[in-house]
Amino acid sequence: MSTTTRIERIDVQLVDLQPAAVRVDAMQSFVKQETVLVTVHTSDGLSGTGYSYTIGTGGRAVMSLITDHLVPALLGRDARPVEALWRHMLDQTRATTVGAITSLAFAAIDTALWDLRGRRTGESLWRMAGGAHEWLPVYDTEGGWLHLPVEDLVDGAKQAATAGLRGVKIKVGRPSIAEDAERLAAVREAVGPAFEVMVDANQAFTAAEAIRRARTYEPLGIAWFEEPLPADDLHGHRRLAASTSVPVAVGESLYSVQRFGDYLAAGAVGIVQVDVARIGGITPWLKVAHAAEAFNVAVSPHFLMELHVSLAAAVPNGMYVEHIPQLRAITRSSLVIEDGQVTPPDIPGIGIDWDPDALDDHRVA
């Protein structure tokens, strides 16, 4: 092992971020983003920073798992072999894997190791991960929350179209199917047939209800039906996918590469929405993306646009980047979006320039 790339110190901090807008879906409200940041320092004086998140609960549990168990297991090891280090973390946490808290802890460390890798080699994450696309189209979610009146949905969709974005996501799950249909029809009429409209139920429906609602959505030319059912209902997703022409989008609530494999093999998913934090980091994210490629399934990752832009643009089957700004308060960098297309940052590491002073202001004691 090289003594110059040994992990000497790992810093962990928790930062709270308030959403820029009220966010309500069919199952929950986005109270705050608990952002767990990890900085890995090596003996050659380099460092890399990564992060993961929750939407209001569990942040301290993630931090405890990192500081109490994963940090001691990683100190002194060579920081370069990210695959071996990810497997080592797995071996140390067999009793809590697969699970959300463990995956989120892995992700913060794994992302830091990839950032460190890029800074050492002078390569961007986009290039290290494949560099398949120089840009990807963007769709907006921030104007489509479930609590918004139909007039606001229409205004938000028009603004997104005027800005050149390629689509909008509208939350569904109103008490009656008629309400959902009315809201979607108003948006479709406002933006025309060429502008993409996605829908997201946030796991609200039974299989029977999802099949029923999908039939209402079909005539509106919906781009995909996201999280229609609880994520562990593989059989229900397979039934739904077989019953509708609307692609079924799944992935933000799946926490292992193997579970994605189950969905792909069953024909239960038409759009893979793997979340780099919830899958456990960049290392497993790439496995999921390439597994989807093997099944000729597109990848449109969930949330975390500042990080996902580099990953989605790196793989051949990258489809869209979701526009939900969330790191502006603690970063000095911003994504370049022109004519509805986003360009991945081509600078060493993961491409996020953290603002130390802003992090101090938002840090949880």
Side-chain angles (χ1 to χ4, degrees):
M1 181 187 75
S2 170
T3 58
T4 62
T5 57
R6 269 187 308 106
I7 298 174
E8 284 197 334
R9 189 173 91 248
I10 300 177
D11 300 328
V12 188
Q13 57 183 313
L14 181 63
V15 170
D16 277 355
L17 297 175
Q18 301 302 316
V22 177
R23 298 170 180 168
V24 176
D25 61 43
M27 300 298 288
Q28 61 200 344
S29 296
F30 194 128
V31 179
K32 62 181 176 179
Q33 178 177 301
E34 293 182 309
T35 310
V36 180
L37 288 105
V38 167
T39 300
V40 176
H41 303 267
T42 53
S43 50
D44 56 0
L46 295 178
S47 64
T49 299
Y51 72 111
S52 64
Y53 75 100
T54 80
I55 61 171
T57 57
R60 290 185 181 277
V62 174
M63 280 193 68
S64 294
L65 183 59
I66 294 172
T67 56
D68 295 347
H69 300 283
L70 297 179
V71 168
L74 293 172
L75 290 176
R77 300 182 73 91
D78 189 340
R80 293 172 299 174
V82 292
E83 185 70 55
L85 291 170
W86 200 94
R87 182 60 55 173
H88 183 62
M89 290 192 292
L90 180 67
D91 290 341
Q92 304 303 307
T93 54
R94 290 288 183 180
T96 61
T97 307
V98 173
I101 298 299
T102 305
S103 290
L104 293 169
F106 283 12
I109 293 172
D110 185 72
T111 305
L113 291 170
W114 276 85
D115 188 48
L116 178 62
R117 185 183 197 181
R119 292 174 184 274
R120 175 171 287 112
T121 61
E123 293 283 356
S124 63
L125 173 58
W126 168 65
R127 290 191 185 275
M128 289 189 295
H133 306 282
E134 293 187 356
W135 56 267
L136 280 181
V138 178
Y139 75 91
D140 184 63
T141 295
E142 201 73 301
W145 300 101
L146 193 64
H147 68 285
L148 295 174
V150 66
E151 295 81 8
D152 289 356
L153 296 181
V154 168
D155 288 344
K158 286 181 175 179
Q159 290 173 19
T162 300
L165 302 189
R166 303 306 173 85
V168 292
K169 183 189 293 179
I170 305 298
K171 299 290 184 175
V172 295
R174 287 282 190 161
S176 77
I177 193 170
E179 287 183 82
D180 276 349
E182 177 187 2
R183 291 158 63 84
L184 292 172
V187 171
R188 172 56 74 204
E189 181 179 1
V191 297
F195 191 73
E196 295 284 25
V197 177
M198 301 81 167
V199 300
D200 184 359
N202 293 97
Q203 307 184 66
F205 300 136
T206 64
E209 182 63 17
I211 290 170
R212 175 172 173 254
R213 298 214 179 199
R215 289 173 181 158
T216 301
Y217 304 154
E218 277 184 337
L220 297 169
I222 298 303
W224 69 61
F225 191 178
E226 182 173 332
E227 285 209 308
L229 313 173
D232 56 358
D233 187 359
L234 174 61
H235 178 65
H237 281 90
R238 183 170 54 204
R239 286 176 55 203
L240 173 62
S243 73
T244 180
S245 64
V246 179
V248 176
V250 177
E252 69 178 83
S253 300
L254 299 181
Y255 293 90
S256 73
V257 175
Q258 292 77 12
R259 195 55 172 163
F260 278 97
D262 294 340
Y263 267 81
L264 289 163
V269 56
I271 307 288
V272 163
Q273 295 190 303
V274 56
D275 182 313
V276 67
R278 295 177 179 181
I279 195 63
I282 293 166
T283 300
W285 192 99
L286 290 169
K287 291 182 171 68
V288 171
H290 290 305
E293 182 189 0
F295 281 87
N296 196 28
V297 173
V299 171
S300 184
H302 166 256
F303 198 43
L304 297 184
M305 67 178 194
E306 298 87 354
L307 184 53
H308 279 141
V309 60
S310 296
L311 293 173
V315 297
N317 50 333
M319 181 183 187
Y320 277 110
V321 173
E322 180 176 22
H323 182 259
I324 308 182
Q326 189 60 24
L327 294 182
R328 287 174 176 168
I330 55 173
T331 57
R332 295 179 294 214
S333 53
S334 59
L335 294 184
V336 178
I337 302 176
E338 295 180 354
D339 192 28
Q341 302 167 358
V342 62
T343 303
D346 195 13
I347 58 175
I350 64 172
I352 298 175
D353 183 13
W354 304 98
D355 183 335
D357 293 334
L359 289 173
D360 287 342
D361 291 341
H362 290 83
R363 183 177 292 117
V364 177

